[in-house]
Amino acid sequence: MSLEYAILVSLQERAGSGYELARRFDKSIGYFWGASHQQIYRSLKRMVELGWVSCDEVAQEKRPDKKVYRVSDSGAAELARWLAEPAADPPAIRNELSVKIRGASYGDVGQVLAEVRRHRRRHAERLAVYQAIEQRDFPDPTGLTGQSLHQYLVLRGGIGYERSMVDWCDEVARALEADSPR
Amino acid sequence: MSLEYAILVSLQERAGSGYELARRFDKSIGYFWGASHQQIYRSLKRMVELGWVSCDEVAQEKRPDKKVYRVSDSGAAELARWLAEPAADPPAIRNELSVKIRGASYGDVGQVLAEVRRHRRRHAERLAVYQAIEQRDFPDPTGLTGQSLHQYLVLRGGIGYERSMVDWCDEVARALEADSPR
DNA sequence: GACGGCATGTAACCAGTTACATGATTAT
DNA sequence: ATAATCATGTAACTGGTTACATGCCGTC
């Protein structure tokens, strides 16, 4: 159910349409909580019913009309309540690649190794994206406070995660190469 | 759909009952692919229908009967096929704590900080568990090959992940303390 | 007598993914 | 022409969680 709260946070930062929210979930927020536009529209509908957000239809020139959502007082209260509540314990990580590595000897180890290398590239790409954002938006993080500090810290989490994945893929690739050489 | 394949890997290592599998998913395999007993029973049923595993009813003294599952030839072939197939791109991480940090200013930052500390402890605990396993089962990893190497590498992934989470929680806690001191 | 371990399941629900569906405007 | 961007949604399916349900054995 965190999606609703992620949307509340995003709408508190700035009101917007479902489409705009979907864009944001492709970027900033989406780096640690992904959501497709279908999910977002469904959630917004529910949130209107719950009275957490209000919705204004806005006519635009040269563009389709859009519905701009903003957080209501009761939505803001609900967000504050949720923030004070303990978060669910981090769920077991589900890592498909780990399953393949663990089972590698029941198939073609070389193919699994190729997958490890491919994932290494993916993680390195994301790491580069996060680091570029860090350089651009937080060149000097020492003085950060409040919301920009919070944004920065979340970004740091993404960087740490991707870096650990890259390192792990490297370790795995090295070990598999050494074990089944050619 | 990886659960079915995680079960195949586990049953290749050793045949067993649904209950035993559930135990294993609480331990080794479960460190990177969690599954409840309900899920496991459901999957086993499906896998019998697909012909990937066979099932023998075994009567036990002083214990309830159990059904021992083992991988069939067609299951082994299916596993090898899946291993050669590219894995899905790592999905967007969904991290509830990040959502709370990002939104902290819309609620009580102190409460969010407490949550960060709690998660720090959880991750440190899991890290300690993994490191204990590493010490016990892989005191000298240099010569590892084949299946034990693969097991070791997966464990290393867990260690790297938990360590990066602990480090991140520390960074976040330090920054939040400095920002809203008391 | 209560609790924990062994052993198996069903049912309802919730969240997320994939596929389908529409339609205008702007840029190549 | 065709693709990309803006803009909104529905429907079916899949996978995972939570709650419920049963029953035996051994130990404290």
Side-chain angles (χ1 to χ4, degrees), chain B residues 13-32:
Chain B
E13 290 173 358
R14 195 151 27 91
S17 70
Y19 186 85
E20 282 163 355
L21 279 167
R23 301 290 98 222
R24 293 185 213 170
F25 274 83
D26 282 347
K27 289 205 285 280
S28 50
I29 315 261
Y31 297 142
F32 57 92

Side-chain angles (χ1 to χ4, degrees), chain A residues 98 101-102 168, chain B residues 32 149-158:
Chain A
S98 290
I101 293 166
R102 177 71 177 254
W168 176 60
Chain B
F32 57 92
L149 174 62
H150 304 156
Q151 264 185 52
Y152 171 71
L153 291 172
V154 168
L155 180 63
R156 291 288 300 166

Side-chain angles (χ1 to χ4, degrees), chain B:
Chain B
M1 257 275 212
S2 295
L3 175 57
E4 270 80 351
Y5 298 99
I7 291 176
L8 282 178
V9 170
S10 190
L11 285 180
Q12 283 279 35
E13 290 173 358
R14 195 151 27 91
S17 70
Y19 186 85
E20 282 163 355
L21 279 167
R23 301 290 98 222
R24 293 185 213 170
F25 274 83
D26 282 347
K27 289 205 285 280
S28 50
I29 315 261
Y31 297 142
F32 57 92
W33 198 278
S36 59
H37 79 275
Q38 294 91 333
Q39 263 180 288
I40 288 168
Y41 285 122
R42 191 165 47 172
S43 291
L44 284 170
K45 206 174 150 189
R46 243 180 306 184
M47 290 164 81
V48 169
E49 282 163 24
L50 289 164
W52 294 0
V53 295
S54 65
C55 170
D56 301 298
E57 222 133 327
V58 175
Q60 294 181 111
E61 273 173 41
K62 314 263 182 170
R63 285 195 186 172
D65 295 357
K66 63 177 180 178
K67 298 180 182 173
V68 172
Y69 295 90
R70 66 193 72 243
V71 180
S72 68
D73 290 350
S74 100
E78 176 58 25
L79 176 57
R81 192 202 58 72
W82 177 77
L83 283 167
E85 185 186 274
D89 275 4
I93 23 157
R94 292 217 166 81
N95 187 326
E96 196 179 337
L97 191 60
S98 290
V99 178
K100 295 207 179 200
I101 294 167
R102 177 70 177 253
S105 12
Y106 304 109
D108 180 343
V109 179
Q111 294 278 85
V112 174
L113 175 54
E115 269 311 285
V116 172
R117 292 198 185 113
R118 201 171 62 81
H119 279 249
R120 200 266 182 214
R121 282 197 299 277
R122 285 264 169 285
H123 287 295
E125 278 162 23
R126 281 209 219 164
L127 176 58
V129 170
Y130 294 173
Q131 283 173 330
I133 297 171
E134 190 186 22
Q135 294 256 325
R136 193 193 59 199
D137 294 347
F138 309 101
D140 177 24
T142 40
L144 290 172
T145 57
Q147 286 184 34
S148 37
L149 174 62
H150 304 156
Q151 264 185 52
Y152 171 71
L153 291 172
V154 168
L155 180 63
R156 291 288 300 166
I159 289 172
Y161 173 73
E162 297 299 342
R163 201 196 307 275
S164 82
M165 292 305 281
V166 170
D167 289 347
W168 177 61
C169 287
D170 283 340
E171 182 181 355
V172 173
R174 254 184 284 117
L176 292 184
E177 282 158 19
D179 191 36
S180 64
R182 48 119 74 261

